[in-house]
Amino acid sequence: MHITNPNPRVGCVLETTTGIVIGQGHTQHAGGPHAEIMALRDAAERGHSALDATAYVTLEPCSHHGRTGPCCDALIAAGIRKVVATNLDPNPLVAGQGFERLRQAGVEVELLPSDHPAAIASRELNIGFFSRMVRKTPWVRMKVATSLDGKTALPDGTSQWITSADARADGHAWRARACAILTGVGTVLQDNPRLDVRLVETPRQPHLVIVDSQLRTPPDAALFDTVGKRKIWIYAAQENNPQTQARAHRLQQRGADIRYCPQTIHTTSQQHQVDLQAMLRDLAQHEINELHVEAGQTLNGALVTKGLVDELLLYMAPKLIGEGLGAAHFGPLASLNQTMPLEFTQVERVGPDLRVLARVPGRDQF
């Protein structure tokens, strides 16, 4: 499921006119064969011809030369009679052109209605890819582990462990799904985390993104143990500051890519912060589809305040902490009308804990 990033997660099944499945496949690593090619290969290896078969695919076959050749040409060459797809490809380089090329070659094309269960499931599977292609920003999923009374840590920042081992492993599965993990320098300084995938098997490590306006990330931080397995981007705010330039050099020596997205906060101190919206646009340019946020209440609050969070992934432990730190620091609000609205999309037990998925209404309408 997670090997295709930054490409969409696509599957293909080939079926004869009598309903017999003769081949199936899914998209491989970026640069590798797409789902349609894998399905055609599978059919050939089984000794079947794809002539007059129907291809069921979870996304419109591509029509352009990217890392690989056009899949629609391969389907046409194989003699496919019909293609049934769940969604149009939102990539502007495709966006209906794959279907058009198939039709011009005499291939029947069927696109499922947008409210069809298969179409909805396919879109959800590729929510980050759709977001990057249409909005030009990743899908931002904020993960939080709390007590039943909404606390993420004791007043001194101690948070290991509020939720169970089952919940932590499940959280790592969501890390593995993402293209990149986002955190703030406060979390790096407080917890010295690695923020990689260790508790579940994964074919790839998600990249790491750190919001660090003054480049306070220690060069000996544990996260640098993963250099070589993934990219580490650190977003800072002051490129021309001599002090931060020296820090940047040390971090670059450890393998970090320092990127500057300054935003001046208009106060008497002219404090500089990272422009989070610009950071998301830059990450999309680097083919980040889903951004998995594991940060403290300060960065979480900033993302919420700026309206940059699409979905909340909440693990809730059946315990009370009382006084402690919250999930996101923002406000105070003047009225309840200013709260961040959410819709529950999924509630499940994970070990002794609850996993709640909640989405900002309308954020997936793109």
Side-chain angles (χ1 to χ4, degrees):
M1 172 180 174
H2 312 303
I3 67 172
T4 66
N5 291 331
N7 291 333
R9 297 151 180 159
V10 179
C12 177
V13 175
L14 303 180
E15 186 179 87
T16 66
T17 54
T18 57
I20 298 174
V21 173
I22 58 172
Q24 53 190 333
H26 60 80
T27 298
Q28 301 299 297
H29 295 275
H34 289 187
E36 297 90 333
I37 306 302
M38 295 300 294
L40 290 170
R41 288 182 183 177
D42 183 45
E45 290 172 358
R46 296 188 193 186
H48 298 298
S49 168
L51 184 65
D52 289 332
T54 296
Y56 296 89
V57 293
T58 50
L59 201 63
E60 173 188 6
C62 65
S63 58
H64 68 294
H65 287 271
R67 295 183 178 94
T68 62
C71 290
C72 59
D73 289 355
L75 294 174
I76 293 168
I80 293 293
R81 177 182 62 85
K82 181 178 180 180
V83 171
V84 180
T86 62
N87 283 284
L88 280 166
D89 191 330
N91 187 341
L93 297 175
V94 184
Q97 298 178 54
F99 286 157
E100 182 59 28
R101 187 176 297 187
L102 290 167
R103 291 190 181 101
Q104 289 178 355
V107 178
E108 182 183 352
V109 173
E110 179 182 348
L111 176 65
L112 297 184
S114 59
D115 59 352
H116 190 284
I120 295 172
S122 171
R123 187 179 172 88
E124 281 297 313
L125 186 64
N126 289 294
I127 191 74
F129 182 76
F130 276 82
S131 176
R132 175 166 69 89
M133 287 296 161
V134 178
R135 300 191 305 181
K136 309 304 180 186
T137 56
W139 180 260
V140 179
R141 181 180 295 113
M142 179 183 290
K143 179 259 183 181
V144 181
T146 76
S147 60
L148 199 58
D149 53 349
K151 299 300 187 294
T152 61
L154 299 179
D156 65 358
T158 301
S159 61
Q160 297 180 347
W161 298 104
I162 290 177
T163 53
S164 66
D166 291 330
R168 295 195 295 276
D170 192 74
H172 275 234
W174 284 89
R175 283 184 184 179
R177 169 179 169 137
C179 288
I181 299 170
L182 172 69
T183 195
V185 66
T187 297
V188 174
L189 295 173
Q190 171 73 29
D191 299 334
N192 193 26
R194 288 175 48 135
L195 286 172
D196 58 353
V197 179
R198 302 182 304 280
L199 302 182
V200 297
E201 292 186 8
T202 180
R204 44 163 282 282
Q205 287 291 342
H207 304 307
L208 179 61
V209 183
I210 304 169
V211 176
D212 183 1
S213 59
Q214 304 301 317
L215 292 178
R216 294 184 295 142
T217 299
D220 61 350
L223 59 91
F224 288 112
D225 294 342
T226 63
V227 168
K229 299 179 181 178
R230 60 177 176 175
K231 295 178 181 178
I232 297 177
W233 290 299
I234 301 180
Y235 283 83
Q238 290 182 280
E239 184 172 6
N240 299 320
N241 183 304
Q243 189 176 29
T244 55
Q245 284 180 339
R247 294 172 181 169
H249 179 68
R250 290 193 292 270
L251 293 170
Q252 287 167 337
Q253 288 181 317
R254 292 304 315 272
D257 182 354
I258 310 299
R259 311 191 64 80
Y260 295 92
C261 287
Q263 181 180 52
T264 301
I265 307 302
H266 296 288
T267 63
T268 55
S269 64
Q270 290 294 290
Q271 179 184 3
H272 293 272
Q273 293 183 354
V274 172
D275 185 333
L276 298 177
Q277 179 68 55
M279 178 192 71
L280 293 182
R281 291 194 296 267
D282 189 61
L283 289 173
Q285 290 291 319
H286 286 81
E287 299 185 307
I288 300 301
N289 294 335
E290 293 183 16
L291 186 62
H292 179 91
V293 181
E294 291 199 33
Q297 62 176 3
T298 300
L299 179 54
N300 285 352
L303 290 167
V304 168
T305 300
K306 296 180 183 297
L308 302 179
V309 177
D310 298 308
E311 189 171 44
L312 184 67
L313 171 63
L314 172 66
Y315 294 92
M316 186 178 296
K319 61 183 66 170
L320 301 178
I321 287 180
E323 187 175 347
L325 303 181
H329 180 71
F330 61 96
L333 303 180
S335 72
L336 290 176
N337 293 330
Q338 298 174 333
T339 59
M340 175 184 177
L342 293 165
E343 293 178 345
F344 292 127
T345 58
Q346 186 184 102
V347 180
E348 291 188 13
R349 286 281 296 270
V350 178
D353 306 317
L354 283 182
R355 182 185 67 204
V356 177
L357 279 172
R359 182 169 295 182
V360 177
R363 291 303 283 266
D364 53 359
Q365 301 302 307
F366 44 74

